[in-house]
Amino acid sequence: MREVQRPDLPPGRRFVQPRLDQTGTPLREVTFVVVDLETTGTRAADCAITEIGAVKVRGGQVLGELATLVDPGRPIPPAVQVLTGITTAMVVGAPRIEQVLPSFLEFVHGTVLVAHNAPFDVGFLKAALSRAGYAWPGNQVVDTVRLARRVVTRDEAPNHRLATLARLFRATTAPTHRALDDARATVDVLHALLERLAPLGVSHAEDLATAADPVPDQVRRRSHLADGLPDAPGVYLFRGPGDEVLYVGVATRSLRTRVRTYFTAAERRSRMTEMLSLATRVDPVVCATPLEARVRELRLIAEHAPRYNRRSRAPERMPWVRLTDEPYPRLSVVRDVTPGATHIGPLPSAGAARLAVEALQETFAVRRCTTRLPRRPAADAVPCVLVELDRCLAPCQHDDGRYATTVAALRSAMTGDPTAVVAAHARRLTALTAAERFEEAAGVRDRLDAYLRAASRSQRSDPLARIAELVAAQRCDDGAWELVLVRYGRLAATALVPRGHDPRPAVDALRATAEHVTAPVPPATAAHPEETDLLLAWLDRPGVRLVAVDGTWAWPVRSTAQITDPAAAVAAWQDRRPELDP
């Protein structure tokens, strides 16, 4: 793909001229082989082929024909003889199917197979190939019956039989139940159907695979938006008439292939149909690796907040559960991180944060009132009903040291061992299910799940958020090295080093050109929480090697324990990531 500046476009806007391999193969350049078979019956498992007819066409021109009778090795039933006019005497001396198949395979090599009621013809061909010891060549198959059902209405034709369509489209050859005549008639029917499909956006070979799918016309007409997209991983942005971003998505393999799926029957989401009706173009962002593509998707969603994206928007509003810093701490749901305080999260919603708070409050007798209590209890303080229910230690009335012990256990459950919370909820679940109080049990389960998700996210991401710079690498399937540089839990740079090249110079270049990242307030990371989750998942993959940490070169090492500085920040991650031999 190359960009050129056109004089009719505003400054800064460039016209993208795609390469041919980026737009697919236009139908006028596709070579079709239209095939028709005559057989001794309708079951491929126990019937045989008696005649093959095939016509090779490209761009409306006939390139060649293949026609032959085939000896089925058995008598032809009388009813079939009446229908086709092929008698047993006619096939005596004709070649057997094993002799015909090599020529047929050569004739159809590299083409798109077309047949009227293709499952019938393809089924017989696959059965014959299997019996003769040949593999199916894997040609793309187009069924003109399915295409006709898409564009020919009952008002035009009472059915979609070949003879009916041939009359409708005034085919030059009438079907006669003989293979070559029927194949010639199907050629004319195919061309007529493609003419009708062209205004619906079926213009390339790739479109034929889904041309018969029940896709709304207004959606299929916009399938040209996928033309010109590169065959590489990256992020795509659907833009509306005002150049606004409607939707952001990710393609881990091919941008063109992924965007094309929006114009097929596989896409059933009504909001996507609405989005496609508004979209005017698709902007690609090519990425070096799938990891980079997923990270860029999150960042672009956070930046543009597209109306048709439902997740990953406004990460700065994601709530945390905080243990307040006051004489008698309590739990609260907050939107920011306070230095020195204990937090877990962030969570996807305020509702999820409240569930996590309830899970901790049901385990520990921590106060739930929102007033700030003095260090010395007031003489006239009146306890609330939670004290009578043994759900609060009443620090507002007296301080016997038990509240401090409870807070210490609560802080440990937030930052380390979840055993106390899990055990308490397990006992509650057991009691409720035994009493068949399943709705209440579901609520207990949801609260425990919210707490575990919040605590695990904090405990996993906090060590990575404290590392100023971490470089890791993994071998790709083609032998190349995928390098990833992370700063404070944020992807700062990534690159691919070709197979056979020393990755060390690339690491030095990566460190010199990587994004500058400011240290965040722990336990928050410098990135979208989901971005840090992606990085942690990548680092946990088998075969990932630690290359450098905070400028300390670690390549190659047999164990990350050889890296001792900064020990406190790296140890939690190193213990889970044993190094491989280089």
Side-chain angles (χ1 to χ4, degrees):
M1 180 183 296
R2 66 188 184 94
E3 294 184 356
V4 295
Q5 181 66 54
R6 284 192 346 200
D8 58 325
L9 291 178
R13 294 287 298 278
R14 296 183 178 275
F15 171 76
V16 178
Q17 179 176 324
R19 303 191 307 266
L20 287 176
D21 62 344
Q22 294 178 332
T23 59
T25 306
L27 290 178
R28 64 179 178 276
E29 299 177 10
V30 177
T31 302
F32 297 98
V33 170
V34 182
V35 64
D36 185 82
L37 305 179
E38 301 301 332
T39 65
T40 60
T42 58
R43 289 171 48 86
D46 49 25
C47 298
I49 298 171
T50 60
E51 187 177 29
I52 295 179
V55 181
K56 183 181 292 186
V57 294
R58 182 174 63 239
Q61 301 296 317
V62 176
L63 304 181
E65 294 182 341
L66 182 151
T68 181
L69 290 168
V70 179
D71 183 359
R74 69 192 73 177
I76 300 175
V80 176
Q81 294 186 42
V82 172
L83 178 65
T84 65
I86 302 175
T87 65
T88 303
M90 291 173 61
V91 297
V92 173
R96 298 296 295 269
I97 190 63
E98 295 83 0
Q99 299 171 284
V100 175
L101 286 175
S103 299
F104 177 78
L105 291 174
E106 183 179 355
F107 190 74
V108 303
H109 177 71
T111 67
V112 175
L113 281 180
V114 181
H116 199 73
N117 189 21
F120 176 87
D121 298 276
V122 172
F124 269 89
L125 287 171
K126 286 184 176 180
L129 287 166
S130 178
R131 286 192 289 264
Y134 292 99
W136 173 250
N139 299 61
Q140 181 181 349
V141 178
V142 175
D143 186 358
T144 50
V145 172
R146 294 192 65 205
L147 296 182
R149 289 172 182 162
R150 183 74 177 85
V151 295
V152 177
T153 66
R154 291 291 183 181
D155 295 335
E156 297 178 281
N159 55 61
H160 298 107
R161 296 174 182 170
L162 180 58
T164 304
L165 296 175
R167 286 194 298 271
L168 174 65
F169 296 129
R170 299 177 182 177
T172 56
T173 303
T176 61
H177 286 291
R178 292 298 299 270
L180 186 58
D181 284 346
D182 288 8
R184 288 169 174 169
T186 305
V187 169
D188 292 337
V189 170
L190 171 67
H191 289 157
L193 293 174
L194 294 180
E195 287 182 7
R196 291 195 173 196
L197 289 166
L200 302 180
V202 180
S203 57
H204 295 77
E206 292 80 0
D207 301 327
L208 286 174
T210 59
D213 291 350
V215 180
D217 291 347
Q218 70 271 20
V219 172
R220 190 178 294 280
R221 288 192 184 98
R222 293 184 175 271
S223 62
H224 66 277
L225 296 176
D227 295 347
L229 297 181
D231 189 23
V235 181
Y236 50 89
L237 297 85
F238 282 92
R239 291 190 178 269
D243 209 37
E244 72 277 18
V245 177
L246 301 174
Y247 183 79
V248 176
V250 63
T252 57
R253 294 189 177 182
S254 169
L255 284 162
R256 182 173 71 246
T257 301
R258 178 67 185 93
V259 173
R260 281 189 181 278
T261 63
Y262 287 90
F263 309 101
T264 68
E267 181 52 74
R268 300 179 182 271
R269 294 171 292 179
S270 58
R271 63 190 182 91
M272 288 295 99
T273 301
E274 179 182 327
M275 183 274 293
L276 293 172
S277 67
L278 298 173
T280 58
R281 77 173 194 271
V282 179
D283 290 344
V285 180
V286 177
C287 300
T289 64
L291 175 63
E292 181 188 359
R294 292 190 180 98
V295 169
R296 285 192 178 275
E297 178 198 24
L298 291 172
R299 294 182 184 180
L300 288 170
I301 291 174
E303 176 184 353
H304 296 285
R307 66 173 117 164
Y308 291 98
N309 283 96
R310 290 182 175 176
R311 71 177 188 91
S312 308
R313 297 169 59 173
E316 69 280 356
R317 299 208 305 265
M318 295 179 71
W320 296 75
V321 175
R322 181 169 68 199
L323 185 61
T324 59
D325 184 17
E326 51 186 317
Y328 299 101
R330 59 185 176 83
L331 294 169
S332 64
V333 177
V334 297
R335 298 287 182 182
D336 54 359
V337 174
T338 301
T342 302
H343 302 75
I344 59 172
L347 291 102
S349 66
R354 285 192 293 271
L355 289 176
V357 168
E358 291 170 6
L360 292 168
Q361 289 174 339
E362 290 177 3
T363 306
F364 303 99
V366 64
R367 70 185 185 94
R368 305 186 187 186
C369 53
T370 57
T371 56
R372 188 175 182 89
L373 300 182
R375 185 173 296 278
R376 292 185 177 181
D380 58 347
V382 178
C384 62
V385 68
L386 293 176
V387 176
E388 299 178 6
L389 297 175
D390 289 331
R391 294 189 177 182
C392 182
L393 297 176
C396 57
Q397 269 195 321
H398 58 275
D399 181 13
D400 55 4
R402 289 189 302 160
Y403 196 84
T405 302
T406 299
V407 169
L410 170 60
R411 182 175 285 107
S412 175
M414 294 176 68
T415 60
D417 188 3
T419 303
V421 182
V422 173
H425 283 70
R427 291 192 296 268
R428 181 65 173 159
L429 283 171
T430 301
L432 290 173
T433 52
E436 298 185 356
R437 296 160 62 181
F438 300 116
E439 291 187 3
E440 293 181 57
V444 174
R445 176 205 61 199
D446 293 341
R447 290 191 287 273
L448 178 60
D449 179 72
Y451 155 73
L452 290 174
R453 289 179 182 274
S456 63
R457 170 174 272 178
S458 296
Q459 293 175 26
R460 279 175 50 81
S461 62
D462 183 57
L464 192 63
R466 295 173 183 272
I467 300 176
E469 181 181 278
L470 180 147
V471 184
Q474 183 184 38
R475 281 279 194 190
C476 302
D477 293 339
D478 60 358
W481 283 107
E482 178 182 356
L483 301 179
V484 170
L485 189 148
V486 181
R487 287 176 175 168
Y488 300 113
R490 179 182 177 87
L491 180 65
T494 183
L496 285 175
V497 180
R499 179 178 183 178
H501 288 67
D502 185 357
R504 299 180 190 231
V507 172
D508 292 334
L510 206 65
R511 295 178 60 194
T513 59
E515 174 188 0
H516 174 73
V517 179
T518 303
V521 176
T525 66
H528 192 299
E530 292 183 30
E531 176 178 333
T532 304
D533 291 345
L534 286 173
L535 294 173
L536 286 167
W538 186 89
L539 291 168
D540 276 340
R541 291 168 61 176
V544 172
R545 306 184 183 193
L546 196 62
V547 178
V549 176
D550 288 352
T552 301
W553 193 264
W555 181 294
V557 294
R558 294 181 59 85
S559 170
T560 52
Q562 296 178 17
I563 303 175
T564 59
D565 187 27
V570 184
W573 185 75
Q574 289 176 348
D575 291 344
R576 298 184 295 107
R577 172 51 54 203
E579 276 296 321
L580 302 179
D581 289 333

